[in-house]
Structure formats: C-alpha cells, structure tokens
Amino acid sequence: MWHSSVPQRFSFTLCHTELFAMCGRYLQLLLSSALLAQLTNAAQILGLFAHPGKSHFDFFRPMLLELAGRGHNVSVYSYFPLKHPVENYTDYVLEGMPLLTDFVDLQAIETDAELLGQAYKVPTFFMLHDWGLRSCQVALNSPLISQLLSSAQRFDVILLEHFSNDCMAAVAHLLQAPMIALSSCAIMPWHYKRMGTPFINTIMPMNFLPYNDEMHFAARLNNFLHFHVINALYNFITQPATDALISQRFGSGLPPINEIVKNTSLMLINQYYALTGPRPYTSNVVEVGGLQVGASQPLPEHLARLFEAATLGVIYISWGSMVNPSSLPQPQLQALYATIAQFPDYTFVLRWNKPAALQNKPKNLYTYEWLPQRDLLCHPRVKAFITHGGLLGSTEAVHCAVPMLVTPFYGDQFLNAAAIVQRRFGLIVGFKNFNEPQLTEALTAILQPSFAAAMKQSTIAFRSRPQPPLDLAVWWIEHVIATRGAVLSQSVARHINWFVYNSIDVYVCCLGFVFLSLLSVWKIIKYIKCNWKQHKNKAKQQ
Ligand SMILES: *[C@@H]1O[C@H](CO)[C@@H](O)[C@H](O)[C@H]1NC(C)=O
Ligand SMILES: *[C@@H]1O[C@H](CO)[C@@H](O)[C@H](O)[C@H]1NC(C)=O
Ligand SMILES: *[C@@H]1O[C@H](CO)[C@@H](O)[C@H](O)[C@H]1NC(C)=O
C-alpha cells in the first residue's frame, strides 16, 4: 500500500538528469516505505496499565496478544501477567494494589441513590477518584517504572488506559512515543474534550446514569448536571491531585497532565452501536466493542453433560468478577432460591466464590467457583443469563443471543442495563426489587420465544460487521505506528474553548444582530409616529 504514491509510468520525453532525479526520489520512497513496513512489521509496543481491575484488562489483553502474534515486541506493565507466556510478549507485574476481584460488598451497596426523584451518582466519581489516585501513586513509584525510564529501550507506540486517572500518560510523555488510549467502558465526561469528540446531552447518557438515548426533560436536565458537575470535579480535584503526584515523582518540568493527554493519537473503546446505541465520534475515537469474544472452545466434559441433561435448558447466573457473591444479603439469596424453585425444568448454574458455604439450595441449582463464560453462553442449551450488566458479560450474551435479566449494582452497569432493555436484549430487576415475584415475572418474560426471536435480530446486527473488531483495533494501532501518531485523524476541537466550540460567540453575534434590527425598526416606527403626530398637530393649528 505504501507504493501507491510512486509514479506508475515514466514519460519518455524526460532528459537524463530528470530521469536520475526521479530514480533518486523513487529509491528514496522505496527506502522510506521499506522502513515504514519494517516499523509496522515488528514495532516496539509498550502497554501501561495501572488500574487493578481484571474486567478492564480482559478487554485489553486480546489486542496485546494479537499484536505479539503479529510479530511485534510487546512489553506490558500491569497487574495481570499471562498465565501461559507467549513469544514476543513480556510481562512486567506491578505490585502494591489489591486486585479488584470478589471485592464489591453487596451488603453495603446503595444502588438507588436519588435526589429530587432522579438518579444521583456523584458519589461514584469520588470512588473512582480515590481508586485512580491510589493506583497512580503505586504505579508511578514502582521500581519497574524507574527501570523502564532509565533503560535505553525506545517504543513506537504506547497503549494505556483512559479511565479514572491519567498519570501513566506522564510516563508516556517522558518516553516520547505516540499514545493510544483504551477504554473498557463508555467514555468518561473528561475524555470528550481531550479527544475533541462531541458530547450531545440529548442523546448521550452519562456513564453512571440509568438512561438510554430517549430521555424526557428531567432526565436530560439530570444528564446535563451530572456530565458537567462530574467533569468539573475531575478538572478541579483529580487533575491537580494527579499533577501533584507527577511533580513529586518527576519534578515540576512536565506540562500539566490535561495538556499531555490531548496528545492521545487514538482511543479504542468498548462500545458498539448495536448494543450501546449510535453515537457521533470523531475519527480518532473508534468503537471496537466485542473484540474480546474470541473463537469458541468446547465446554469442559462435566458441564457439557449437565447441559445435555437439562430438561428445558440452562440458566446462567453471574455477577462478574468484581462483586463478592457471598456478600449477597439473606433476603435476596432466599428470593433467588425461591425463583429457581419456580423453574424446576431448567438447570441453573451459578458462579459463586465459596460454593461449599451455600446451604439448602434448590436441587436444580449448581454452583462453581469459575465458569468458562464465553463458551457457556454460546452453548445452544443456555436460554437466559442473570447478570449485573457488566459490559464484557453483556457483550458475550449479545454475541450468543442469550436474553438477560439485569440487576445493575454500580458504575456503568445502569447505563448498560438501560441500553440492553431499549434494544430488547433483556429486562431489568433492580436490587431494591430483587424479590421472588419480580424475578419470576421477568425471567418468565425473557424465556418467551417471542423475546428470543426479537433478540436474534439484534444479535445479527451486533455480529455483522465489515471487519471483526479485533482486526479493526489492530489495524488502527498499526496505522498509528506507521504514521507516527495518526496526526490527520486528530480533531482540532481539542484546543478550542467551550465558548467557541459551542458557537456561543456566534449565537451572541446573531442575537445582537436581531436585537439591533428590532431596535432600529422600533426607532423608525417611533420616528414616523412622532413625525405623523407633529404633522397632525400642525394641520390642527392651521
Ligand atoms: C516474534 O517476533 C519475531 C520477530 O518479529 C517473529 O519472527 C516471530 O514469528 C514472532 N513470534 C510469534 C509467536 O509470533
Ligand atoms: C523486546 O522488548 C524488551 C523489553 O520489554 C527488550 O528487552 C527486548 O530487547 C526487545 N526485543 C526485541 C527483539 O526488540
Ligand atoms: C505533543 O506531541 C507533540 C508532537 O509529538 C510534541 O511536540 C509536544 O511536545 C507534545 N505535547 C505534550 C504536552 O505532550
């Protein structure tokens, strides 16, 4: 493809010197394209992932593995080393943060916080802020990062996560390579500006809110307030705190972090319109949702046998890797048992961290510490998925056309759940309604053939794409390497202030024009009226 800029035909009327010059240029082009090809053939790729969330890294890992498989030299700093090392992939394991696995306590969770009858999710920001800052501090001061910065190794591109803190971008800045951001969820309010990609309040619900793209007035108002309040909190609390950590570690010579992150070449996000809704993005923000759904593997023997023996089918229950299932309060656990007992012809399989501790469970319930979720969901006997609405599990369920009963707990799960319901992938039973009648009703509804049929249509839309999402992600990463930062795809909106970006100046100018026109019309009328009166008075006097 790099040869397409080379002239196809030489004109015979060229004199020798011109021919020489042309040959020289041709050679030069060939050489530089060979260099480029070499660069993309085996690039030095660095991954910096300071956030200890397993579900996040599960979305990043397939890209890193694919890049290594294509012969690039991939070096990954994270909390999640490969279980089975592969060639061209080197793990550097960060330490000092607890992994966020089986850690969310359902006893303490408050899923339905409201203010004036509307969802209130500002506390979620503070939770993310605290976690982000702590993992940032640990990673910045890790001896591995010191070694990385003092080594002679240079990188062609750096992949990092855009989530609750940006301090790894300071490391990328010091290493002077193009940056690519990965996001395992919908993009956060503070990411729009740095990528120059538009946020449209009317159709784009903010990450933490339980809305879809059809919002009534109160929801739009709440969306607006959440977006701007949380954005302001990030700018006035998180960024200064991050800058302070960075200058503690590297001295005060670096630009502010909110300037550094504007140099991000590309953002690859775990979204896809057929699940999460159509959104306008600039060309440097690319939807690659579903890339973690790899090729299918056969189920382990014991599960395959259990599934075949199920009378009507299998219902799978899992609240992901972050929630600690053992913290499910007794009333909700009993409601779940009672619901399961209502469906004796279905076999229920449940992921539970301490299966031995479960007493008096219904006899059609089977519990496992770990289940191969992707292959399980795509098994033809699986008829429904009881889930928390995490994006990885939801994506896999959509891919496999398994209807969902969603109970969102925290973070972006409310947003995902709203998108799932809107596109008829499932129904919601909120945690405060987690009782036997509501669960039974919702489960009965999603087990109807009509529901499954509607869902199949959506699944077709989700699966049919011009290019598999993993290939698309890798294409873009290699494009950034080959073009040293994909400068042409950058939106100038990154550098435009709010007043101008939203055309407030133009509105003000137009309003001013209308005002002046009205004013002059009024003045003219007044003048005419005045004259006419004078004229009449004169006529009277005469
Ligand atoms: C590792 O990289 C080398 C050189 O880039 C390449 O020849 C080799 O095939 C790669 N290994 C794998 C397993 O992809
Ligand atoms: C691959 O990267 C590692 C750093 O993680 C470096 O030590 C090694 O020399 C690189 N290998 C090649 C073939 O470039
Ligand atoms: C952004 O990238 C450009 C080009 O690589 C570089 O000159 C500039 O210093 C960078 N700015 C920041 C704030 O990192």
Side-chain angles (χ1 to χ4, degrees):
M1 65 189 259
W2 294 104
H3 297 178
S4 57
S5 53
V6 172
Q8 300 283 314
R9 276 177 290 133
F10 288 101
S11 162
F12 289 108
T13 55
L14 285 177
C15 73
H16 285 296
T17 48
E18 268 173 321
L19 198 59
F20 262 115
M22 208 144 202
C23 279
R25 236 176 302 145
Y26 183 74
L27 262 176
Q28 217 177 355
L29 265 169
L30 261 183
L31 269 177
S32 62
S33 55
L35 270 177
L36 270 172
Q38 205 184 3
L39 205 66
T40 47
N41 276 346
Q44 301 292 339
I45 297 177
L46 172 65
L48 294 173
F49 301 98
H51 177 72
K54 176 176 179 298
S55 56
H56 292 217
F57 200 75
D58 283 345
F59 181 71
F60 309 147
R61 188 186 295 108
M63 291 183 254
L64 301 166
L65 279 175
E66 181 70 18
L67 289 164
R70 290 168 64 92
H72 300 298
N73 187 29
V74 183
S75 311
V76 182
Y77 290 69
S78 78
Y79 286 89
F80 305 96
L82 295 179
K83 285 210 186 76
H84 309 288
V86 300
E87 212 184 326
N88 299 338
Y89 186 119
T90 316
D91 269 315
Y92 297 87
V93 188
L94 297 172
E95 279 169 8
M97 286 292 286
L99 302 188
L100 304 181
T101 309
D102 288 340
F103 117 105
V104 175
D105 188 343
L106 294 179
Q107 304 271 354
I109 207 139
E110 207 200 335
T111 60
D112 307 300
E114 286 192 347
L115 198 68
L116 304 172
Q118 291 295 318
Y120 173 67
K121 300 291 179 190
V122 175
T124 305
F125 164 79
F126 287 100
M127 192 190 80
L128 291 183
H129 166 81
D130 286 344
W131 272 98
L133 221 53
R134 276 173 61 190
S135 27
C136 166
Q137 182 157 27
V138 168
L140 272 189
N141 295 297
S142 148
L144 287 177
I145 296 293
S146 303
Q147 285 156 25
L148 171 67
L149 287 169
S150 58
S151 85
Q153 176 76 21
R154 284 289 155 263
F155 297 95
D156 299 306
V157 74
I158 299 174
L159 308 186
L160 37 76
E161 176 173 12
H162 271 184
F163 184 52
S164 57
N165 195 289
D166 292 318
C167 68
M168 284 296 108
V171 178
H173 175 82
L174 290 170
L175 291 169
Q176 292 194 319
M179 264 187 291
I180 295 178
L182 311 180
S183 172
S184 63
C185 53
I187 72 180
M188 296 284 178
W190 50 89
H191 295 154
Y192 289 90
K193 168 76 182 175
R194 70 178 58 163
M195 301 309 294
T197 193
F199 173 77
I200 300 173
N201 184 65
T202 319
I203 53 161
M204 295 163 75
M206 189 259 155
N207 304 52
F208 310 150
L209 293 173
Y211 304 144
N212 56 40
D213 54 19
E214 294 170 285
M215 290 176 267
H216 50 79
F217 177 75
R220 278 185 286 120
L221 180 62
N222 197 29
N223 193 40
F224 184 88
L225 292 175
H226 269 79
F227 184 90
H228 291 287
V229 166
I230 286 175
N231 213 5
L233 290 173
Y234 193 82
N235 288 329
F236 292 114
I237 298 180
T238 308
Q239 282 187 347
T242 309
D243 280 331
L245 280 181
I246 291 169
S247 58
Q248 241 174 42
R249 174 69 179 78
F250 299 123
S252 55
L254 267 69
I257 194 70
N258 60 350
E259 287 304 315
I260 293 177
V261 291
K262 284 186 189 163
N263 257 1
T264 306
S265 296
L266 172 71
M267 192 162 179
L268 297 171
I269 60 176
N270 185 9
Q271 297 279 287
Y272 194 63
Y273 76 89
L275 169 61
T276 47
R279 303 275 186 271
Y281 296 114
T282 46
S283 44
N284 55 349
V285 178
V286 180
E287 289 194 330
V288 290
L291 65 72
Q292 91 283 5
V293 187
S296 67
Q297 308 279 330
L299 277 187
E301 190 69 26
H302 68 285
L303 286 178
R305 245 180 291 128
L306 179 72
F307 285 20
E308 290 311 328
T311 317
L312 286 181
V314 174
I315 292 166
Y316 168 51
I317 311 170
S318 168
W319 292 300
S321 59
M322 270 179 82
V323 166
N324 174 9
S326 297
S327 68
L328 187 68
Q330 268 305 315
Q332 278 86 356
L333 183 62
Q334 293 311 322
L336 187 65
Y337 282 178
T339 309
I340 291 172
Q342 297 285 328
F343 296 86
D345 292 332
Y346 286 93
T347 296
F348 288 76
V349 295
L350 168 66
R351 189 197 87 86
W352 200 263
N353 53 348
K354 292 173 191 142
L358 286 175
Q359 308 283 320
N360 307 324
K361 55 185 171 100
K363 58 181 188 306
N364 55 335
L365 173 63
Y366 298 80
T367 51
Y368 302 90
E369 256 182 89
W370 179 85
L371 286 158
Q373 177 161 285
R374 181 246 179 272
D375 298 315
L376 187 159
L377 280 168
C378 274
H379 192 283
R381 304 293 334 263
V382 174
K383 303 299 178 201
F385 180 22
I386 297 179
T387 170
H388 63 314
L391 207 42
L392 295 188
S394 305
T395 305
E396 285 158 358
V398 169
H399 179 87
C400 304
V402 178
M404 285 169 268
L405 190 164
V406 193
T407 305
F409 294 123
Y410 56 87
D412 64 346
Q413 292 158 12
F414 305 94
L415 178 78
N416 303 339
I420 287 167
V421 172
Q422 188 188 19
R423 288 177 185 74
R424 297 196 44 106
F425 290 124
L427 295 174
I428 297 177
V429 175
F431 199 48
K432 77 166 182 241
N433 304 322
F434 201 88
N435 52 44
E436 188 274 316
Q438 303 235 16
L439 286 170
T440 302
E441 191 189 325
L443 195 53
T444 308
I446 64 172
L447 287 170
Q448 295 304 313
S450 62
F451 205 99
M455 169 140 200
K456 280 233 162 64
Q457 289 308 309
S458 304
T459 294
I460 289 169
F462 186 79
R463 289 177 76 151
S464 57
R465 308 189 190 191
Q467 192 179 13
L470 185 56
D471 292 356
L472 180 63
V474 167
W475 183 91
W476 268 103
I477 293 169
E478 291 185 337
H479 179 71
V480 169
I481 296 169
T483 57
R484 296 180 196 278
V487 181
L488 290 179
S489 76
Q490 304 308 304
S491 163
V492 75
R494 288 169 300 161
H495 306 297
I496 300 177
N497 69 45
W498 174 87
F499 191 79
V500 174
Y501 184 72
N502 290 293
S503 297
I504 309 287
D505 52 348
V506 176
Y507 283 114
V508 167
C509 175
C510 292
L511 281 177
F513 183 74
V514 170
F515 175 75
L516 283 180
S517 312
L518 289 177
L519 190 71
S520 28
V521 169
W522 184 65
K523 284 269 184 213
I524 291 169
I525 291 175
K526 218 170 113 182
Y527 178 77
I528 293 174
K529 243 167 126 180
C530 202
N531 271 4
W532 186 69
K533 251 190 207 151
Q534 273 174 6
H535 182 76
K536 240 170 59 177
N537 284 348
K538 260 185 209 155
K540 251 190 213 163
Q541 277 167 11
Q542 277 172 6

